[in-house]
Amino acid sequence: VQLQESGPGLVKPSETLSLTCIVSGASINSHYWSWIRQSPGKGLEWIGHIFYTGSTTYNPSLKSRVTISVDRSKNQFFLRLTYVTTADTAVYYCARGARYTQPGDYWGQGTLVAVSS
Amino acid sequence: DIQMTQSPSSLSASVGDGVSLTCRASQGIDNYLNWYQQKPGEAPKLLIYAASSLQSGVPSRFSGSGSGTDFTLTITSLQPEDFATYYCQQSFSTPLTFGGGTRVEIK
């Protein structure tokens, strides 16, 4: 199982951060699929997940700005974070997990996203 | 949210030493507790899930114990590749939350 994040490394304040997680070696039609971020100031923070049924759960701290979606035909899932600020600068990871192992028994390598004008 | 508190925040040990890292949850989480190892520039790696189950491929010198609010990760006979930061994380309820980490350094 391999996961790979992709997306812009630089986003301007107030704009939208959009990332893709490309999944190989496993079908996205099972398990939980999460986004997690890590910044020096806040450690590891779970952003939210999408269950294979399509049900989503978000961290209340980000809920008003986050959308996680999936494209089953491409075996990919996505993160959209609106109205970003410098506080959203972090390494963003995607991960796959089950009920006990969520957010992840398999993680992507991570992608650094900087928010700056 | 469930708060996860790890102690110590860092420790120094030598190759061959045994160490124990602790994690406390702010409320009972049964055995929904995971341990991760992270090295600089890498993603976290799952070591232990369900408090005491060893993830496939992880060496048997790693073990986990505990239930409810108090948990322990034990590493017997530290190897050079074990020097890293270790995080606990609860999967009992959302939002999933992580501890602040314990950094294991070479003495």
Side-chain angles (χ1 to χ4, degrees):
Chain A
V1 179
Q2 291 189 319
L3 296 90
Q4 176 69 56
E5 304 89 352
S6 67
L10 181 64
V11 181
K12 290 182 168 56
S14 80
E15 295 190 345
T16 296
L17 181 160
S18 295
L19 295 175
T20 298
C21 184
I22 303 167
V23 179
S24 59
S27 170
I28 208 160
N29 291 319
S30 67
H31 292 84
Y32 293 90
W33 301 92
S34 285
W35 288 97
I36 306 101
R37 68 182 184 180
Q38 186 172 31
S39 58
K42 293 189 72 174
L44 285 158
E45 181 179 31
W46 176 76
I47 298 169
H49 68 212
I50 187 163
F51 195 36
Y52 74 96
T53 59
S55 170
T56 53
T57 305
Y58 302 128
N59 192 320
S61 67
L62 297 166
K63 186 175 183 178
S64 63
R65 299 193 292 131
V66 173
T67 303
I68 297 175
S69 59
V70 65
D71 184 334
R72 300 182 192 284
S73 67
K74 294 183 178 179
N75 222 40
Q76 299 175 355
F77 66 107
F78 311 98
L79 171 68
R80 177 182 163 94
L81 182 66
T82 60
Y83 302 107
V84 297
T85 71
T86 55
D88 295 310
T89 293
V91 176
Y92 285 76
Y93 297 100
C94 58
R96 184 202 84 163
R99 175 63 183 95
Y100 268 102
T101 65
Q102 58 172 328
D105 47 6
Y106 289 96
W107 292 57
Q109 65 186 27
T111 187
L112 175 63
V113 179
V115 178
S116 175
S117 54
Chain B
D1 299 4
I2 298 175
Q3 308 303 316
M4 308 301 293
T5 303
Q6 292 185 242
S7 61
S9 56
S10 66
L11 64 87
S12 296
S14 300
V15 173
D17 286 351
V19 297
S20 290
L21 286 57
T22 64
C23 175
R24 175 165 289 178
S26 61
Q27 65 186 74
I29 58 171
D30 293 339
N31 66 335
Y32 286 87
L33 190 283
N34 300 326
W35 288 97
Y36 293 88
Q37 176 194 68
Q38 187 178 34
K39 298 178 181 178
E42 298 183 3
K45 173 187 174 183
L46 182 65
L47 300 176
I48 302 285
Y49 65 95
S52 60
S53 295
L54 194 67
Q55 175 68 355
S56 175
V58 174
S60 59
R61 62 180 180 273
F62 292 93
S63 64
S65 64
S67 183
T69 60
D70 294 308
F71 302 87
T72 301
L73 174 70
T74 299
I75 311 171
T76 57
S77 188
L78 274 167
Q79 298 302 300
E81 61 269 27
D82 299 339
F83 293 93
T85 300
Y86 294 84
Y87 294 96
C88 64
Q89 172 255 323
Q90 63 83 18
S91 58
F92 179 77
S93 66
T94 57
L96 308 180
T97 48
F98 294 82
T102 294
R103 184 175 179 181
V104 178
E105 301 173 315
I106 300 175
K107 184 182 288 184

